[in-house]
Amino acid sequence: MQMEYFLLLAAALFCIGIYGLISSRNAVRVLMSIELMLNAVNLNLMGFSNFLDPSAIKGQVFTVFVITVAAAEAAVGLAIVLAIYRNRQTIDMEQFNLLKW
Amino acid sequence: MNLAEGVQIVSFGILAVMMLGAALGVVLLSNIVHSAFLLAGVFLSISGFYILLNADFVAAAQILIYVGAVNVLILFAIMLVNKQEVFSEIPGRWIRKLATGAVCLGLFALLGTMILVTPWSLSTTSPAVVDNTIVAIGEHFFSDYLLPFELASVLLLMAMVGAIILARRDLIPDVVSMQEIVSTSLTLPERPRELVASGDRPPNEGE
């Protein structure tokens, strides 16, 4: 197995996440795309940890930290989506102009 | 990793097809519930990649946290905001989608050439793989990564408190109707029921 395969796969996943982040209109789907991007980063970290640093596995430690931050981000992001939905009665990203100007 | 090379390549291919298909489904499907279940497929196949990369503990943590907690949270959020709303059409939206797709393909081409051109300093001799990753990760956590470990726990606490405060809906109204509450000597000093019930107010009031 080569490291480039894993890195290419992580790059593809990251680009899919960026596409979903920009082009989707459902706010929950935007959060799901962010999770995809974080997982791509985790896959990169894990590939580097296995192939470049197999004795002291520091990439796995950083992956655990990224998973922690991703869990916290998901909780706060979904709470924000719920709060906006309660005030605006919509989850369309095109309708959210609260921070405009 | 004591699997044969061919077994690793075949399982890598299966997991890659599974992951890319599920990720494209997450982004492209119109039904958000199908997207949420496909997201679980993405997380599971990434956990399989972690096992291929000799990281058994993180693979288990990935399944537990992402599939067990984050995905369930996303499903709860979908059910709470499930209005089946039909998004109003915006003229010229396909141009935006096309441009986004072009940018993402360009970014992938850039990253791909960077990955393939860069001479990674891989060690030719295969060193001894860490036998017990839990012990190694624990040693890192409690020696040289102690401060980020503690900060992660503080961050989780702050995120949990913040999420609860953002998501709960009982608001204290301006006019407190305290007249009908008969306080006897046996009344417990708690918030009256009307305050909690008045949180279910009509939606357009608080904008």
Side-chain angles (χ1 to χ4, degrees), chain A residues 1 4 9 23 25 29 35 39 42 50 54-55 70 86-87 89-91 94, chain B residues 5 8 26 29 35 43 49-50 54 62 66 83 85 88 93 130 167 207:
Chain A
M1 293 302 285
E4 283 87 356
L9 200 67
S23 73
R25 297 182 67 176
R29 199 192 299 267
E35 296 292 329
N39 271 288
N42 275 345
N50 188 38
S55 57
R86 203 178 302 135
N87 283 325
Q89 296 296 311
T90 182
I91 46 171
E94 304 282 348
Chain B
E5 188 80 9
Q8 288 190 40
V26 167
L29 283 187
S35 295
F43 292 153
F49 283 124
Y50 290 170
N54 304 313
Q62 166 95 4
Y66 272 115
K83 212 174 71 172
E85 63 173 328
S88 59
R93 183 166 162 74
V130 174
E207 293 196 31

PDB file of all heavy atoms in Angstrom, chain A residues 1 4 9 23 25 29 35 39 42 50 54-55 70 86-87 89-91 94, chain B residues 5 8 26 29 35 43 49-50 54 62 66 83 85 88 93 130 167 207:
ATOM      1  N   MET A   1       0.839  -1.202   0.000  1.00  0.00           N
ATOM      2  CA  MET A   1       0.000   0.000   0.000  1.00  0.00           C
ATOM      3  C   MET A   1       0.871   1.247   0.000  1.00  0.00           C
ATOM      4  O   MET A   1       1.896   1.291   0.645  1.00  0.00           O
ATOM      5  CB  MET A   1      -0.884   0.018   1.247  1.00  0.00           C
ATOM      6  CG  MET A   1      -1.919  -1.059   1.279  1.00  0.00           C
ATOM      7  SD  MET A   1      -2.991  -0.965  -0.125  1.00  0.00           S
ATOM      8  CE  MET A   1      -3.975   0.432   0.348  1.00  0.00           C
ATOM      9  N   GLU A   4       0.197   7.597  -1.148  1.00  0.00           N
ATOM     10  CA  GLU A   4      -0.455   8.521  -2.083  1.00  0.00           C
ATOM     11  C   GLU A   4      -1.917   8.154  -2.318  1.00  0.00           C
ATOM     12  O   GLU A   4      -2.753   9.032  -2.542  1.00  0.00           O
ATOM     13  CB  GLU A   4       0.287   8.529  -3.421  1.00  0.00           C
ATOM     14  CG  GLU A   4       1.578   9.319  -3.408  1.00  0.00           C
ATOM     15  CD  GLU A   4       2.745   8.481  -2.946  1.00  0.00           C
ATOM     16  OE1 GLU A   4       2.512   7.317  -2.563  1.00  0.00           O
ATOM     17  OE2 GLU A   4       3.874   8.988  -2.940  1.00  0.00           O
ATOM     18  N   LEU A   9      -7.413   9.967  -1.885  1.00  0.00           N
ATOM     19  CA  LEU A   9      -8.781   9.715  -1.440  1.00  0.00           C
ATOM     20  C   LEU A   9      -9.258  10.811  -0.492  1.00  0.00           C
ATOM     21  O   LEU A   9     -10.396  11.298  -0.588  1.00  0.00           O
ATOM     22  CB  LEU A   9      -8.832   8.360  -0.754  1.00  0.00           C
ATOM     23  CG  LEU A   9     -10.193   7.735  -0.666  1.00  0.00           C
ATOM     24  CD1 LEU A   9     -10.661   7.392  -2.044  1.00  0.00           C
ATOM     25  CD2 LEU A   9     -10.143   6.522   0.192  1.00  0.00           C
ATOM     26  N   SER A  23     -22.736  24.554  -2.236  1.00  0.00           N
ATOM     27  CA  SER A  23     -23.874  24.519  -3.149  1.00  0.00           C
ATOM     28  C   SER A  23     -25.166  24.033  -2.520  1.00  0.00           C
ATOM     29  O   SER A  23     -26.197  24.118  -3.179  1.00  0.00           O
ATOM     30  CB  SER A  23     -23.549  23.608  -4.327  1.00  0.00           C
ATOM     31  OG  SER A  23     -23.582  22.278  -3.899  1.00  0.00           O
ATOM     32  N   ARG A  25     -28.491  23.972  -0.063  1.00  0.00           N
ATOM     33  CA  ARG A  25     -29.344  25.005   0.523  1.00  0.00           C
ATOM     34  C   ARG A  25     -29.896  24.615   1.879  1.00  0.00           C
ATOM     35  O   ARG A  25     -30.408  25.461   2.600  1.00  0.00           O
ATOM     36  CB  ARG A  25     -30.505  25.304  -0.422  1.00  0.00           C
ATOM     37  CG  ARG A  25     -30.044  25.870  -1.727  1.00  0.00           C
ATOM     38  CD  ARG A  25     -31.186  26.191  -2.622  1.00  0.00           C
ATOM     39  NE  ARG A  25     -31.987  27.284  -2.086  1.00  0.00           N
ATOM     40  CZ  ARG A  25     -33.011  27.799  -2.743  1.00  0.00           C
ATOM     41  NH1 ARG A  25     -33.341  27.329  -3.906  1.00  0.00           N
ATOM     42  NH2 ARG A  25     -33.701  28.779  -2.232  1.00  0.00           N
ATOM     43  N   ARG A  29     -27.513  20.006   5.830  1.00  0.00           N
ATOM     44  CA  ARG A  29     -26.594  19.401   4.871  1.00  0.00           C
ATOM     45  C   ARG A  29     -25.253  20.137   4.858  1.00  0.00           C
ATOM     46  O   ARG A  29     -24.216  19.530   4.622  1.00  0.00           O
ATOM     47  CB  ARG A  29     -27.221  19.415   3.484  1.00  0.00           C
ATOM     48  CG  ARG A  29     -26.585  18.435   2.523  1.00  0.00           C
ATOM     49  CD  ARG A  29     -27.052  18.706   1.145  1.00  0.00           C
ATOM     50  NE  ARG A  29     -28.492  18.557   1.011  1.00  0.00           N
ATOM     51  CZ  ARG A  29     -29.053  17.409   0.630  1.00  0.00           C
ATOM     52  NH1 ARG A  29     -28.331  16.385   0.350  1.00  0.00           N
ATOM     53  NH2 ARG A  29     -30.352  17.330   0.520  1.00  0.00           N
ATOM     54  N   GLU A  35     -18.658  17.953   8.326  1.00  0.00           N
ATOM     55  CA  GLU A  35     -18.187  16.693   8.908  1.00  0.00           C
ATOM     56  C   GLU A  35     -17.366  15.905   7.887  1.00  0.00           C
ATOM     57  O   GLU A  35     -16.352  15.288   8.230  1.00  0.00           O
ATOM     58  CB  GLU A  35     -19.374  15.852   9.365  1.00  0.00           C
ATOM     59  CG  GLU A  35     -20.200  16.465  10.469  1.00  0.00           C
ATOM     60  CD  GLU A  35     -19.439  16.522  11.758  1.00  0.00           C
ATOM     61  OE1 GLU A  35     -18.594  15.650  11.979  1.00  0.00           O
ATOM     62  OE2 GLU A  35     -19.681  17.451  12.528  1.00  0.00           O
ATOM     63  N   ASN A  39     -13.467  14.749   8.274  1.00  0.00           N
ATOM     64  CA  ASN A  39     -13.046  13.359   8.142  1.00  0.00           C
ATOM     65  C   ASN A  39     -11.941  13.203   7.120  1.00  0.00           C
ATOM     66  O   ASN A  39     -11.069  12.344   7.271  1.00  0.00           O
ATOM     67  CB  ASN A  39     -14.238  12.490   7.781  1.00  0.00           C
ATOM     68  CG  ASN A  39     -14.934  11.985   9.008  1.00  0.00           C
ATOM     69  OD1 ASN A  39     -14.411  11.139   9.691  1.00  0.00           O
ATOM     70  ND2 ASN A  39     -16.071  12.546   9.302  1.00  0.00           N
ATOM     71  N   ASN A  42      -8.859  14.039   8.888  1.00  0.00           N
ATOM     72  CA  ASN A  42      -8.491  12.924   9.764  1.00  0.00           C
ATOM     73  C   ASN A  42      -7.809  11.810   8.987  1.00  0.00           C
ATOM     74  O   ASN A  42      -6.852  11.206   9.469  1.00  0.00           O
ATOM     75  CB  ASN A  42      -9.727  12.361  10.441  1.00  0.00           C
ATOM     76  CG  ASN A  42     -10.079  13.123  11.671  1.00  0.00           C
ATOM     77  OD1 ASN A  42      -9.260  13.880  12.163  1.00  0.00           O
ATOM     78  ND2 ASN A  42     -11.265  12.925  12.162  1.00  0.00           N
ATOM     79  N   ASN A  50       0.748   6.788   9.896  1.00  0.00           N
ATOM     80  CA  ASN A  50       1.124   5.392   9.667  1.00  0.00           C
ATOM     81  C   ASN A  50       2.375   5.277   8.812  1.00  0.00           C
ATOM     82  O   ASN A  50       3.211   4.409   9.059  1.00  0.00           O
ATOM     83  CB  ASN A  50      -0.030   4.648   8.995  1.00  0.00           C
ATOM     84  CG  ASN A  50       0.231   3.165   8.919  1.00  0.00           C
ATOM     85  OD1 ASN A  50       0.797   2.597   9.850  1.00  0.00           O
ATOM     86  ND2 ASN A  50      -0.142   2.555   7.829  1.00  0.00           N
ATOM     87  N   PRO A  54       5.630   5.894  12.185  1.00  0.00           N
ATOM     88  CA  PRO A  54       4.953   4.702  12.715  1.00  0.00           C
ATOM     89  C   PRO A  54       5.361   4.329  14.134  1.00  0.00           C
ATOM     90  O   PRO A  54       4.677   3.535  14.778  1.00  0.00           O
ATOM     91  CB  PRO A  54       5.366   3.598  11.729  1.00  0.00           C
ATOM     92  CG  PRO A  54       6.627   4.072  11.154  1.00  0.00           C
ATOM     93  CD  PRO A  54       6.685   5.543  11.245  1.00  0.00           C
ATOM     94  N   SER A  55       6.433   4.910  14.636  1.00  0.00           N
ATOM     95  CA  SER A  55       6.860   4.517  15.989  1.00  0.00           C
ATOM     96  C   SER A  55       6.151   5.346  17.050  1.00  0.00           C
ATOM     97  O   SER A  55       5.605   4.795  18.008  1.00  0.00           O
ATOM     98  CB  SER A  55       8.372   4.651  16.109  1.00  0.00           C
ATOM     99  OG  SER A  55       8.757   5.970  15.800  1.00  0.00           O
ATOM    100  N   ALA A  70     -14.790  18.088  16.431  1.00  0.00           N
ATOM    101  CA  ALA A  70     -15.892  17.901  15.491  1.00  0.00           C
ATOM    102  C   ALA A  70     -17.193  17.593  16.225  1.00  0.00           C
ATOM    103  O   ALA A  70     -18.260  18.078  15.829  1.00  0.00           O
ATOM    104  CB  ALA A  70     -15.561  16.777  14.519  1.00  0.00           C
ATOM    105  N   ARG A  86     -36.313  28.160  14.585  1.00  0.00           N
ATOM    106  CA  ARG A  86     -37.418  28.571  15.448  1.00  0.00           C
ATOM    107  C   ARG A  86     -37.791  30.031  15.201  1.00  0.00           C
ATOM    108  O   ARG A  86     -38.949  30.413  15.282  1.00  0.00           O
ATOM    109  CB  ARG A  86     -37.017  28.373  16.906  1.00  0.00           C
ATOM    110  CG  ARG A  86     -38.195  28.240  17.820  1.00  0.00           C
ATOM    111  CD  ARG A  86     -37.716  28.009  19.216  1.00  0.00           C
ATOM    112  NE  ARG A  86     -36.883  26.834  19.309  1.00  0.00           N
ATOM    113  CZ  ARG A  86     -35.745  26.802  19.983  1.00  0.00           C
ATOM    114  NH1 ARG A  86     -35.319  27.880  20.610  1.00  0.00           N
ATOM    115  NH2 ARG A  86     -35.030  25.715  20.044  1.00  0.00           N
ATOM    116  N   ASN A  87     -36.816  30.848  14.880  1.00  0.00           N
ATOM    117  CA  ASN A  87     -37.127  32.255  14.641  1.00  0.00           C
ATOM    118  C   ASN A  87     -37.608  32.520  13.227  1.00  0.00           C
ATOM    119  O   ASN A  87     -38.450  33.363  13.006  1.00  0.00           O
ATOM    120  CB  ASN A  87     -35.873  33.107  14.907  1.00  0.00           C
ATOM    121  CG  ASN A  87     -35.656  33.288  16.384  1.00  0.00           C
ATOM    122  OD1 ASN A  87     -36.618  33.387  17.128  1.00  0.00           O
ATOM    123  ND2 ASN A  87     -34.426  33.323  16.788  1.00  0.00           N
ATOM    124  N   GLN A  89     -38.524  30.016  10.752  1.00  0.00           N
ATOM    125  CA  GLN A  89     -39.384  28.989  10.150  1.00  0.00           C
ATOM    126  C   GLN A  89     -38.849  28.501   8.820  1.00  0.00           C
ATOM    127  O   GLN A  89     -39.594  28.114   7.934  1.00  0.00           O
ATOM    128  CB  GLN A  89     -40.815  29.498   9.984  1.00  0.00           C
ATOM    129  CG  GLN A  89     -41.494  29.811  11.284  1.00  0.00           C
ATOM    130  CD  GLN A  89     -41.682  28.595  12.145  1.00  0.00           C
ATOM    131  OE1 GLN A  89     -42.168  27.592  11.676  1.00  0.00           O
ATOM    132  NE2 GLN A  89     -41.269  28.662  13.392  1.00  0.00           N
ATOM    133  N   THR A  90     -37.554  28.516   8.609  1.00  0.00           N
ATOM    134  CA  THR A  90     -36.978  27.987   7.386  1.00  0.00           C
ATOM    135  C   THR A  90     -35.544  27.560   7.672  1.00  0.00           C
ATOM    136  O   THR A  90     -34.929  28.027   8.624  1.00  0.00           O
ATOM    137  CB  THR A  90     -37.004  29.025   6.267  1.00  0.00           C
ATOM    138  OG1 THR A  90     -36.480  28.429   5.084  1.00  0.00           O
ATOM    139  CG2 THR A  90     -36.179  30.217   6.609  1.00  0.00           C
ATOM    140  N   ILE A  91     -35.052  26.622   6.841  1.00  0.00           N
ATOM    141  CA  ILE A  91     -33.644  26.255   6.957  1.00  0.00           C
ATOM    142  C   ILE A  91     -32.956  26.460   5.623  1.00  0.00           C
ATOM    143  O   ILE A  91     -31.938  25.863   5.324  1.00  0.00           O
ATOM    144  CB  ILE A  91     -33.470  24.801   7.432  1.00  0.00           C
ATOM    145  CG1 ILE A  91     -34.395  23.893   6.666  1.00  0.00           C
ATOM    146  CG2 ILE A  91     -33.673  24.668   8.898  1.00  0.00           C
ATOM    147  CD1 ILE A  91     -34.141  22.446   6.921  1.00  0.00           C
ATOM    148  N   GLU A  94     -30.370  30.352   1.582  1.00  0.00           N
ATOM    149  CA  GLU A  94     -30.498  31.592   0.819  1.00  0.00           C
ATOM    150  C   GLU A  94     -31.326  32.629   1.571  1.00  0.00           C
ATOM    151  O   GLU A  94     -31.287  33.802   1.254  1.00  0.00           O
ATOM    152  CB  GLU A  94     -31.172  31.303  -0.530  1.00  0.00           C
ATOM    153  CG  GLU A  94     -30.475  30.258  -1.349  1.00  0.00           C
ATOM    154  CD  GLU A  94     -29.251  30.796  -2.052  1.00  0.00           C
ATOM    155  OE1 GLU A  94     -29.069  32.006  -2.089  1.00  0.00           O
ATOM    156  OE2 GLU A  94     -28.465  29.964  -2.548  1.00  0.00           O
TER     157      GLU A  94
ATOM    158  N   GLU B   5      -0.631  -8.228   0.813  1.00  0.00           N
ATOM    159  CA  GLU B   5      -0.724  -6.993   0.034  1.00  0.00           C
ATOM    160  C   GLU B   5      -1.981  -6.964  -0.831  1.00  0.00           C
ATOM    161  O   GLU B   5      -2.667  -5.949  -0.925  1.00  0.00           O
ATOM    162  CB  GLU B   5       0.523  -6.859  -0.835  1.00  0.00           C
ATOM    163  CG  GLU B   5       0.650  -5.536  -1.566  1.00  0.00           C
ATOM    164  CD  GLU B   5       1.186  -4.434  -0.682  1.00  0.00           C
ATOM    165  OE1 GLU B   5       1.615  -4.741   0.457  1.00  0.00           O
ATOM    166  OE2 GLU B   5       1.158  -3.294  -1.104  1.00  0.00           O
ATOM    167  N   GLN B   8      -5.066  -6.208   1.151  1.00  0.00           N
ATOM    168  CA  GLN B   8      -5.137  -4.788   1.494  1.00  0.00           C
ATOM    169  C   GLN B   8      -5.609  -3.960   0.320  1.00  0.00           C
ATOM    170  O   GLN B   8      -6.460  -3.064   0.471  1.00  0.00           O
ATOM    171  CB  GLN B   8      -3.758  -4.299   1.929  1.00  0.00           C
ATOM    172  CG  GLN B   8      -3.327  -4.818   3.279  1.00  0.00           C
ATOM    173  CD  GLN B   8      -2.085  -4.113   3.753  1.00  0.00           C
ATOM    174  OE1 GLN B   8      -1.942  -2.928   3.578  1.00  0.00           O
ATOM    175  NE2 GLN B   8      -1.183  -4.860   4.354  1.00  0.00           N
ATOM    176  N   VAL B  26     -24.350  11.933  -0.109  1.00  0.00           N
ATOM    177  CA  VAL B  26     -24.603  12.923   0.943  1.00  0.00           C
ATOM    178  C   VAL B  26     -24.776  14.300   0.327  1.00  0.00           C
ATOM    179  O   VAL B  26     -25.669  15.071   0.679  1.00  0.00           O
ATOM    180  CB  VAL B  26     -23.447  12.930   1.960  1.00  0.00           C
ATOM    181  CG1 VAL B  26     -23.535  14.139   2.861  1.00  0.00           C
ATOM    182  CG2 VAL B  26     -23.474  11.687   2.790  1.00  0.00           C
ATOM    183  N   LEU B  29     -27.941  13.988  -3.101  1.00  0.00           N
ATOM    184  CA  LEU B  29     -29.320  13.526  -2.992  1.00  0.00           C
ATOM    185  C   LEU B  29     -30.220  14.648  -2.510  1.00  0.00           C
ATOM    186  O   LEU B  29     -29.787  15.544  -1.787  1.00  0.00           O
ATOM    187  CB  LEU B  29     -29.412  12.345  -2.027  1.00  0.00           C
ATOM    188  CG  LEU B  29     -28.945  11.000  -2.555  1.00  0.00           C
ATOM    189  CD1 LEU B  29     -29.251   9.927  -1.547  1.00  0.00           C
ATOM    190  CD2 LEU B  29     -29.636  10.680  -3.852  1.00  0.00           C
ATOM    191  N   SER B  35     -29.482  11.362   2.931  1.00  0.00           N
ATOM    192  CA  SER B  35     -28.131  11.900   3.086  1.00  0.00           C
ATOM    193  C   SER B  35     -27.566  11.582   4.463  1.00  0.00           C
ATOM    194  O   SER B  35     -26.400  11.221   4.589  1.00  0.00           O
ATOM    195  CB  SER B  35     -28.145  13.409   2.882  1.00  0.00           C
ATOM    196  OG  SER B  35     -28.504  13.723   1.587  1.00  0.00           O
ATOM    197  N   PHE B  43     -18.785   7.380   7.362  1.00  0.00           N
ATOM    198  CA  PHE B  43     -18.031   7.238   8.616  1.00  0.00           C
ATOM    199  C   PHE B  43     -17.570   5.797   8.816  1.00  0.00           C
ATOM    200  O   PHE B  43     -16.442   5.550   9.260  1.00  0.00           O
ATOM    201  CB  PHE B  43     -18.891   7.671   9.801  1.00  0.00           C
ATOM    202  CG  PHE B  43     -19.181   9.137   9.816  1.00  0.00           C
ATOM    203  CD1 PHE B  43     -20.324   9.626  10.411  1.00  0.00           C
ATOM    204  CD2 PHE B  43     -18.304  10.036   9.238  1.00  0.00           C
ATOM    205  CE1 PHE B  43     -20.580  10.973  10.423  1.00  0.00           C
ATOM    206  CE2 PHE B  43     -18.563  11.384   9.248  1.00  0.00           C
ATOM    207  CZ  PHE B  43     -19.712  11.850   9.850  1.00  0.00           C
ATOM    208  N   PHE B  49     -10.803   2.329   6.796  1.00  0.00           N
ATOM    209  CA  PHE B  49      -9.482   2.830   6.398  1.00  0.00           C
ATOM    210  C   PHE B  49      -8.545   2.936   7.594  1.00  0.00           C
ATOM    211  O   PHE B  49      -7.353   2.655   7.496  1.00  0.00           O
ATOM    212  CB  PHE B  49      -9.602   4.195   5.739  1.00  0.00           C
ATOM    213  CG  PHE B  49     -10.097   4.143   4.346  1.00  0.00           C
ATOM    214  CD1 PHE B  49     -11.216   4.844   3.970  1.00  0.00           C
ATOM    215  CD2 PHE B  49      -9.443   3.388   3.400  1.00  0.00           C
ATOM    216  CE1 PHE B  49     -11.681   4.793   2.687  1.00  0.00           C
ATOM    217  CE2 PHE B  49      -9.900   3.329   2.108  1.00  0.00           C
ATOM    218  CZ  PHE B  49     -11.019   4.032   1.757  1.00  0.00           C
ATOM    219  N   TYR B  50      -9.085   3.346   8.722  1.00  0.00           N
ATOM    220  CA  TYR B  50      -8.241   3.448   9.913  1.00  0.00           C
ATOM    221  C   TYR B  50      -7.705   2.076  10.318  1.00  0.00           C
ATOM    222  O   TYR B  50      -6.561   1.958  10.761  1.00  0.00           O
ATOM    223  CB  TYR B  50      -9.018   4.047  11.077  1.00  0.00           C
ATOM    224  CG  TYR B  50      -9.350   5.505  10.922  1.00  0.00           C
ATOM    225  CD1 TYR B  50     -10.220   6.132  11.793  1.00  0.00           C
ATOM    226  CD2 TYR B  50      -8.793   6.248   9.896  1.00  0.00           C
ATOM    227  CE1 TYR B  50     -10.530   7.454  11.653  1.00  0.00           C
ATOM    228  CE2 TYR B  50      -9.107   7.577   9.746  1.00  0.00           C
ATOM    229  CZ  TYR B  50      -9.972   8.163  10.629  1.00  0.00           C
ATOM    230  OH  TYR B  50     -10.277   9.474  10.487  1.00  0.00           O
ATOM    231  N   ASN B  54      -3.523   0.639  10.586  1.00  0.00           N
ATOM    232  CA  ASN B  54      -3.025   0.165  11.883  1.00  0.00           C
ATOM    233  C   ASN B  54      -3.469   1.040  13.050  1.00  0.00           C
ATOM    234  O   ASN B  54      -2.712   1.260  13.986  1.00  0.00           O
ATOM    235  CB  ASN B  54      -1.495   0.087  11.910  1.00  0.00           C
ATOM    236  CG  ASN B  54      -0.975  -0.770  10.806  1.00  0.00           C
ATOM    237  OD1 ASN B  54      -1.482  -1.852  10.596  1.00  0.00           O
ATOM    238  ND2 ASN B  54       0.014  -0.279  10.094  1.00  0.00           N
ATOM    239  N   GLN B  62     -13.972   6.254  16.180  1.00  0.00           N
ATOM    240  CA  GLN B  62     -14.692   6.844  15.040  1.00  0.00           C
ATOM    241  C   GLN B  62     -16.111   6.307  14.962  1.00  0.00           C
ATOM    242  O   GLN B  62     -17.067   7.064  14.827  1.00  0.00           O
ATOM    243  CB  GLN B  62     -13.932   6.512  13.755  1.00  0.00           C
ATOM    244  CG  GLN B  62     -14.684   6.752  12.486  1.00  0.00           C
ATOM    245  CD  GLN B  62     -14.392   8.092  11.894  1.00  0.00           C
ATOM    246  OE1 GLN B  62     -13.567   8.814  12.403  1.00  0.00           O
ATOM    247  NE2 GLN B  62     -15.083   8.426  10.838  1.00  0.00           N
ATOM    248  N   TYR B  66     -18.734   9.144  15.850  1.00  0.00           N
ATOM    249  CA  TYR B  66     -19.409   9.685  14.670  1.00  0.00           C
ATOM    250  C   TYR B  66     -20.725   8.984  14.397  1.00  0.00           C
ATOM    251  O   TYR B  66     -21.771   9.624  14.286  1.00  0.00           O
ATOM    252  CB  TYR B  66     -18.499   9.576  13.456  1.00  0.00           C
ATOM    253  CG  TYR B  66     -17.599  10.761  13.306  1.00  0.00           C
ATOM    254  CD1 TYR B  66     -16.233  10.651  13.427  1.00  0.00           C
ATOM    255  CD2 TYR B  66     -18.129  12.004  13.054  1.00  0.00           C
ATOM    256  CE1 TYR B  66     -15.413  11.747  13.303  1.00  0.00           C
ATOM    257  CE2 TYR B  66     -17.326  13.103  12.928  1.00  0.00           C
ATOM    258  CZ  TYR B  66     -15.967  12.964  13.048  1.00  0.00           C
ATOM    259  OH  TYR B  66     -15.175  14.047  12.931  1.00  0.00           O
ATOM    260  N   LYS B  83     -39.713  20.125   7.834  1.00  0.00           N
ATOM    261  CA  LYS B  83     -40.916  20.815   7.389  1.00  0.00           C
ATOM    262  C   LYS B  83     -41.274  20.476   5.964  1.00  0.00           C
ATOM    263  O   LYS B  83     -42.314  20.884   5.482  1.00  0.00           O
ATOM    264  CB  LYS B  83     -40.746  22.326   7.516  1.00  0.00           C
ATOM    265  CG  LYS B  83     -42.037  23.053   7.818  1.00  0.00           C
ATOM    266  CD  LYS B  83     -41.792  24.505   8.070  1.00  0.00           C
ATOM    267  CE  LYS B  83     -41.419  25.228   6.793  1.00  0.00           C
ATOM    268  NZ  LYS B  83     -41.368  26.681   6.979  1.00  0.00           N
ATOM    269  N   GLU B  85     -40.049  21.627   3.231  1.00  0.00           N
ATOM    270  CA  GLU B  85     -40.281  22.861   2.503  1.00  0.00           C
ATOM    271  C   GLU B  85     -39.670  22.765   1.105  1.00  0.00           C
ATOM    272  O   GLU B  85     -38.633  22.152   0.894  1.00  0.00           O
ATOM    273  CB  GLU B  85     -39.673  24.043   3.246  1.00  0.00           C
ATOM    274  CG  GLU B  85     -38.176  23.981   3.401  1.00  0.00           C
ATOM    275  CD  GLU B  85     -37.659  25.249   3.994  1.00  0.00           C
ATOM    276  OE1 GLU B  85     -38.246  26.304   3.743  1.00  0.00           O
ATOM    277  OE2 GLU B  85     -36.669  25.188   4.715  1.00  0.00           O
ATOM    278  N   SER B  88     -37.668  27.868  -2.855  1.00  0.00           N
ATOM    279  CA  SER B  88     -38.036  28.690  -4.011  1.00  0.00           C
ATOM    280  C   SER B  88     -36.871  28.740  -5.002  1.00  0.00           C
ATOM    281  O   SER B  88     -35.711  28.808  -4.620  1.00  0.00           O
ATOM    282  CB  SER B  88     -38.366  30.103  -3.547  1.00  0.00           C
ATOM    283  OG  SER B  88     -37.247  30.659  -2.900  1.00  0.00           O
ATOM    284  N   ARG B  93     -29.172  29.777 -10.690  1.00  0.00           N
ATOM    285  CA  ARG B  93     -28.522  29.003  -9.648  1.00  0.00           C
ATOM    286  C   ARG B  93     -27.613  27.919 -10.229  1.00  0.00           C
ATOM    287  O   ARG B  93     -26.623  27.549  -9.615  1.00  0.00           O
ATOM    288  CB  ARG B  93     -29.593  28.387  -8.758  1.00  0.00           C
ATOM    289  CG  ARG B  93     -29.024  27.617  -7.605  1.00  0.00           C
ATOM    290  CD  ARG B  93     -30.053  27.295  -6.563  1.00  0.00           C
ATOM    291  NE  ARG B  93     -29.548  26.223  -5.729  1.00  0.00           N
ATOM    292  CZ  ARG B  93     -28.611  26.381  -4.833  1.00  0.00           C
ATOM    293  NH1 ARG B  93     -28.078  27.544  -4.633  1.00  0.00           N
ATOM    294  NH2 ARG B  93     -28.182  25.361  -4.118  1.00  0.00           N
ATOM    295  N   VAL B 130       3.614  -0.064  16.022  1.00  0.00           N
ATOM    296  CA  VAL B 130       3.244  -0.027  17.432  1.00  0.00           C
ATOM    297  C   VAL B 130       2.240  -1.132  17.720  1.00  0.00           C
ATOM    298  O   VAL B 130       1.213  -1.233  17.042  1.00  0.00           O
ATOM    299  CB  VAL B 130       2.656   1.349  17.768  1.00  0.00           C
ATOM    300  CG1 VAL B 130       2.141   1.371  19.183  1.00  0.00           C
ATOM    301  CG2 VAL B 130       3.704   2.413  17.571  1.00  0.00           C
ATOM    302  N   ALA B 167     -30.384  25.837  22.433  1.00  0.00           N
ATOM    303  CA  ALA B 167     -31.468  25.011  21.920  1.00  0.00           C
ATOM    304  C   ALA B 167     -32.705  25.023  22.790  1.00  0.00           C
ATOM    305  O   ALA B 167     -33.785  24.700  22.307  1.00  0.00           O
ATOM    306  CB  ALA B 167     -30.988  23.573  21.740  1.00  0.00           C
ATOM    307  N   GLU B 207     -39.043  38.662  16.767  1.00  0.00           N
ATOM    308  CA  GLU B 207     -38.064  39.097  15.767  1.00  0.00           C
ATOM    309  C   GLU B 207     -37.766  40.576  15.883  1.00  0.00           C
ATOM    310  O   GLU B 207     -38.553  41.321  16.402  1.00  0.00           O
ATOM    311  CB  GLU B 207     -38.582  38.793  14.363  1.00  0.00           C
ATOM    312  CG  GLU B 207     -38.651  37.310  14.124  1.00  0.00           C
ATOM    313  CD  GLU B 207     -38.793  37.005  12.638  1.00  0.00           C
ATOM    314  OE1 GLU B 207     -38.288  37.779  11.820  1.00  0.00           O
ATOM    315  OE2 GLU B 207     -39.422  36.000  12.325  1.00  0.00           O
TER     316      GLU B 207
END
